[in-house]
Amino acid sequence: MMPGNRFWLCVESLAASFDGDGETVEDNLIVYEQQAAQLPAEKRAELKRQLVPVIGGLARISLRMREADGH
């Protein structure tokens, strides 16, 4: 398996979590919120810190892919 394959599989898994109509996506978000509320405060804080660079990195990849496609 190429090094990036695992990354792209993770992207596909995340995308599936947010796929669907608005109600389904909102239902999923509620579940994730409830799960996060049950985590210890330290774990929640760490996950919040991890989300910021992940979201930023994904946005950068998306932009670069659009630019490469001429958009």
Side-chain angles (χ1 to χ4, degrees), residues 5 15 19 26-27 30 37 42 45-47 60-61 64 67:
N5 285 357
D19 192 19
E26 184 60 28
D27 289 344
I30 290 169
E42 303 82 30
E46 179 60 25
L47 289 171
R60 289 170 62 191
I61 290 170
R64 291 175 186 186
E67 289 172 348

Side-chain angles (χ1 to χ4, degrees), residues 40-57:
E42 303 82 30
K43 181 65 175 177
R44 277 194 318 274
E46 179 60 25
L47 289 171
K48 285 188 282 187
R49 282 190 293 274
Q50 290 175 344
L51 280 173
V52 172
V54 168
I55 293 166

Side-chain angles (χ1 to χ4, degrees), residues 6-55:
R6 184 165 181 218
F7 171 80
W8 295 112
L9 290 173
C10 290
V11 170
E12 289 174 356
S13 293
L14 283 170
S17 296
F18 296 102
D19 192 19
D21 61 34
E23 185 177 338
T24 300
V25 171
E26 184 60 28
D27 289 344
N28 288 343
L29 288 170
I30 290 169
V31 169
Y32 304 143
E33 180 183 2
Q34 291 169 344
Q35 290 172 344
Q38 296 175 6
L39 296 172
E42 303 82 30
K43 181 65 175 177
R44 277 194 318 274
E46 179 60 25
L47 289 171
K48 285 188 282 187
R49 282 190 293 274
Q50 290 175 344
L51 280 173
V52 172
V54 168
I55 293 166

